[in-house]
């Protein structure tokens, strides 16, 4: 037992040292350090011809090839990335470029990208290709982004429960948290967060049903943003629960997150409008900060509230917006029940298959059968998939009703108390922002610092319907004061 523990410790130390060495070795691109670089700074280098899109793309792919074997953040790289970069360099000469010109971005591997597999972390979807590219990816390309590849995730966006941590998939392995290699990164957009935190890309797309973009952003010191729900934000995405599924964005600064959000939502002005911060009232839901998972974060949270006050907003202590446990059970059950009919429709109408694809993968029943016959090296249960197969038709249609109920209650809470936003801990196990997930309202994670073991800590802001611009503006004002992020050291 002692020998095995020592061996594991030595392995972890070796992995940490290797990552630190490779991080430094691949940091520079024509003498410019790409780590923590912002969109504005990279654009300045393009304008002065110090860098080309082709060279930057090559440098980021080199970082992925060097660091990813340990981090397991990326499932596959885009075979067309170099060709796309060459085309963008030609556009630069013709002065045709958008807000994301030459910006390297990764996409969660449940979102369709032309010419690439969309596995959702599974092995059985490897040779099944989406027929169309996701609208959000098309919008990134329209604004000039370079799609570097696809990121790892909790398999089937967390529907497969295994003895591994969040961020495990059979297609990509166990995603590691760059700040603490032994700490849970949470999910399901684990690879997107790990990749951006480790500077394998400047931004990434995640997806969010009940916290899957905000959770891993909070553990990796990133600005993760889930926009207001809109049906276009989940098209050509492997479904979990369509009435809640939303593509979100993850980046290292609030400004870059806003630029990415503007692109995928086709709302060029969100996060740009001037707001009078002195008129903003933010409710701090005190009950959530008593959660035992948040206890070690309280000192950092208090400092973040002081910074909030310094940007001019009014902080109001409030009793929590209470959600009955039975209601949340109903939401989870209804969301699971959405999966069966939606995955069958996706497989039937939204995909094309290579000859090597498994012809038996057609519906939820065949997926469950596949898992029962491919246990592999990880022990897992079908805790969520089995109930999804046994749903009644009445349960399948109840999620929209539950969503409307939450929208009504939250809107009434905001209006009655004249709150513009709500601030809660973003620790994934605190489940403090799930009300906004269910309602389809926007949420953003604000990184606020680090605890002793090197793990990142965040708080989440959420607002009423269509308050995306307000939240992004608040995040930018907070970021200008806080400067709470630092590069990961790949600690154990």
């Amino acid at each position: 037992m002692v020998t095995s523990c020592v061996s594991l410790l030595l392995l972890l130390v070796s992995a940490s040292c290797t990552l630190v060495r490779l991080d430094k070795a691949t940091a520079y691109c024509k003498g410019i350090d790409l780590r923590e670089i912002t969109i504005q700074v990279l654009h300045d280098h393009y304008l002065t011809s110090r860098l080309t899109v082709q060279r930057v793309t090559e440098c980021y792919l080199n970082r992925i090839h060097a660091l990813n074997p340990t981090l397991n953040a990326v499932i596959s790289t885009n075979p067309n990335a170099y060709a796309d970069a060459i085309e963008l360099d030609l556009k630069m000469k013709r002065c045709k470029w958008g807000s994301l010109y030459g910006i390297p971005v990764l996409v969660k591997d449940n979102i369709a990208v032309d010419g690439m597999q969309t596995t959702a972390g599974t092995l059985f979807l490897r040779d099944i290709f989406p027929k169309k590219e996701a609208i959000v990816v098309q919008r990134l390309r329209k604004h000039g982004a370079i799609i570097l590849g696809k990121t790892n995730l909790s398999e089937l966006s967390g529907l497969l429960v295994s003895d591994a941590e969040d961020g495990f998939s059979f297609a990509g392995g166990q995603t590691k948290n760059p700040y603490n290699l032994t700490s849970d990164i949470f999910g399901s957009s684990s690879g997107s967060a790990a990749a951006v935190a480790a500077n394998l890309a400047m931004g990434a797309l995640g997806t969010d049903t009940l916290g899957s973009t905000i959770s891993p952003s909070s553990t990796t010191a990133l600005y993760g943003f889930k926009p207001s729900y809109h049906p276009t934000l989940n098209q050509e995405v492997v479904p979990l629960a369509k009435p809640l599924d939303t593509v979100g964005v993850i980046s290292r600064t609030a400004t870059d997150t806003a630029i990415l959000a503007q692109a995928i939502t086709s709302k060029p002005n969100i996060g740009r409008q001037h707001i009078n911060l002195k008129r903003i009232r933010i409710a701090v839901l005190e009950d959530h900060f008593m959660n035992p998972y948040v206890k070690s974060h309280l000192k950092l949270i208090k400092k973040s509230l002081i910074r909030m006050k310094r940007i001019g907003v009014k902080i109001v202590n409030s009793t929590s917006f209470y959600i009955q446990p039975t209601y949340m059970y109903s939401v989870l059950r209804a969301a699971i029940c959405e999966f069966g009919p939606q995955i069958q429709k996706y497989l039937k109408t939204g995909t094309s298959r290579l000859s090597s694809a498994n012809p038996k993968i057609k519906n939820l029943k065949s997926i469950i059968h596949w898992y029962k016959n491919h246990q592999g090296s990880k022990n897992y249960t079908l805790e969520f998939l089995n109930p999804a197969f046994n749903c009644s038709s009445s349960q399948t249609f109840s999620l929209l009703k539950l969503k409307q109920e939450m929208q009504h209650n939250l809107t009434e809470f905001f209006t009655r108390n004249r709150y513009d936003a709500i601030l809660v801990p973003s620790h994934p196990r605190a489940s403090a922002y799930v009300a906004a997930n269910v309602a389809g309202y926007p949420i953003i994670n604000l990184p606020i610092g680090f605890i002793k073991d090197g793990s990142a800590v965040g708080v989440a802001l959420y607002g009423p319907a269509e308050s995306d611009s307000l939240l992004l503006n608040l995040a930018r004002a907070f970021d200008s004061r806080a400067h709470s992020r630092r590069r990961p050291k790949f600690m154990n």
Side-chain angles (χ1 to χ4, degrees):
M1 180 67 177
V2 174
T3 303
S4 63
C5 288
V6 171
S7 299
L8 178 60
L9 179 62
L10 290 172
L11 186 64
L12 291 170
V13 171
S14 174
S16 178
C17 292
T18 299
L19 283 171
V20 170
R21 176 175 55 82
L22 292 172
D23 176 57
K24 186 175 181 180
T26 59
Y28 291 88
C29 194
K30 291 186 71 173
I32 296 166
D33 193 342
L34 293 179
R35 295 171 298 181
E36 306 297 301
I37 198 168
T38 64
I39 291 174
Q40 181 60 60
V41 171
L42 185 56
H43 278 173
D44 289 343
H45 289 314
Y46 285 147
L47 285 168
T48 57
S49 299
R50 290 193 67 188
L51 290 171
T52 64
V53 181
Q54 189 177 0
R55 185 73 182 102
V56 167
T57 300
E58 182 181 5
C59 289
Y60 272 101
L61 288 172
N62 286 342
R63 278 187 68 80
I64 291 171
H65 294 317
L67 276 66
N68 194 62
T70 303
L71 291 176
N72 291 328
V74 179
I75 284 182
S76 58
T77 53
N78 182 4
N80 300 315
Y82 283 119
D84 293 342
I86 293 169
E87 185 178 336
L88 281 171
D89 281 329
L90 293 173
K91 284 186 177 181
M92 176 67 172
K93 293 178 182 179
R94 299 193 296 268
C95 298
K96 292 182 178 180
W97 59 327
S99 61
L100 291 172
Y101 173 82
I103 301 304
V105 175
L106 286 161
V107 175
K108 186 176 178 180
D109 199 20
N110 61 346
I111 304 171
V113 173
D114 275 348
M116 297 192 72
Q117 305 176 106
T118 300
T119 70
T122 71
L123 297 180
F124 56 79
L125 288 177
R126 280 185 301 183
D127 296 324
I128 300 175
F129 284 72
K131 290 180 179 177
K132 295 192 297 182
E133 185 167 77
I135 290 174
V136 288
V137 177
Q138 293 175 30
R139 290 172 176 174
L140 288 180
R141 292 189 193 276
K142 179 182 176 182
H143 286 266
I146 285 286
I147 309 301
L148 292 177
K150 309 291 285 293
T151 58
N152 199 5
L153 64 156
S154 304
E155 189 153 341
L156 286 179
S157 295
L159 278 182
L160 182 70
V161 181
S162 74
D163 64 0
E165 297 172 350
D166 280 336
F168 172 80
S169 74
F170 281 101
Q174 179 64 61
T175 308
K176 297 293 185 183
N177 188 330
Y179 285 96
N180 185 336
L181 299 178
T182 59
S183 176
D184 197 338
I185 191 169
F186 292 95
S188 66
S189 303
S190 319
S192 295
V196 175
N199 290 279
L200 306 187
M202 292 179 65
L205 297 187
T207 59
D208 202 302
T209 304
L210 290 171
S212 298
T213 296
I214 306 303
S215 291
S217 298
S218 73
T219 63
T220 50
L222 298 170
Y223 287 87
F225 177 64
K226 184 199 81 72
S228 292
Y229 176 85
H230 193 277
T232 59
L233 295 179
N234 64 27
Q235 291 184 19
E236 288 75 53
V237 174
V238 179
L240 196 162
K242 281 281 189 182
L244 304 184
D245 294 345
T246 304
V247 172
V249 296
I250 298 173
S251 191
R252 292 185 292 271
T253 71
T255 297
D256 286 1
T257 298
I259 294 170
L260 285 161
Q262 290 156 12
I264 69 161
T265 60
S266 279
K267 296 178 180 177
N269 293 320
I270 61 168
R272 287 185 174 181
Q273 298 97 324
H274 173 74
I275 58 171
N276 185 349
L277 293 171
K278 292 182 179 179
R279 298 180 65 179
I280 302 301
R281 286 166 52 87
I282 297 178
V284 175
L285 301 189
E286 293 177 314
D287 292 0
H288 286 299
F289 293 95
M290 298 176 187
N291 188 296
Y293 289 107
V294 182
K295 188 176 180 180
S296 61
H297 304 174
L298 290 178
K299 186 181 289 187
L300 289 169
I301 290 169
K302 287 177 181 177
K303 286 182 179 178
S304 72
L305 294 177
I306 292 170
R307 289 172 183 146
M308 276 285 181
K309 291 177 181 177
R310 285 176 179 167
I311 67 174
V313 302
K314 185 174 183 180
I315 299 294
V316 184
N317 292 327
S318 175
T319 53
S320 287
F321 177 79
Y322 183 69
I323 304 173
Q324 291 283 353
T326 52
Y327 173 86
M328 281 314 304
Y329 174 81
S330 298
V331 168
L332 183 60
R333 176 73 181 176
I336 290 170
C337 287
E338 291 278 337
F339 179 69
Q342 289 171 7
I343 193 66
Q344 182 169 329
K345 181 179 178 182
Y346 171 82
L347 291 169
K348 184 177 180 179
T349 64
T351 60
S352 57
R353 297 166 183 253
L354 298 181
S355 58
S356 54
N358 188 337
K360 295 181 180 179
I361 300 296
K362 295 180 179 180
N363 51 34
L364 181 57
K365 183 178 180 180
S366 61
I367 290 172
I368 292 172
H369 181 76
W370 189 92
Y371 277 120
K372 287 180 177 178
N373 287 280
H374 294 80
Q375 182 73 8
S377 59
K378 296 285 183 183
N379 293 315
Y380 56 82
T381 69
L382 302 179
E383 181 182 331
F384 292 150
L385 290 179
N386 277 329
F389 182 63
N390 295 319
C391 288
S392 68
S393 58
S394 60
Q395 288 172 317
T396 306
F397 292 102
S398 63
L399 187 56
L400 277 175
K401 183 178 178 182
L402 291 164
K403 181 177 181 177
Q404 290 164 358
E405 181 182 338
M406 181 60 76
Q407 288 173 338
H408 172 79
N409 292 339
L410 257 184
T411 299
E412 196 273 336
F413 184 74
F414 277 113
T415 304
R416 171 167 44 87
N417 296 289
R418 296 184 295 111
Y419 294 145
D420 297 288
I422 290 173
L423 186 144
V424 293
S426 54
H427 190 289
R429 297 204 191 283
S431 302
Y433 46 83
V434 72
N437 285 115
V438 176
Y441 293 169
I443 317 169
I444 192 164
N445 178 69
L446 310 179
I448 62 172
F450 301 84
I451 54 177
K452 288 182 179 180
D453 69 355
S455 299
V457 176
V459 292
L461 276 177
Y462 67 88
E466 303 300 328
S467 60
D468 305 52
S469 194
L470 171 66
L471 295 189
L472 289 167
N473 273 311
L474 287 171
R476 291 172 73 172
F478 179 82
D479 196 8
S480 68
R481 288 269 187 174
H483 307 295
S484 299
R485 190 184 150 72
R486 64 173 182 236
R487 275 196 287 119
K489 296 180 180 179
F490 309 103
M491 296 169 57
N492 286 314

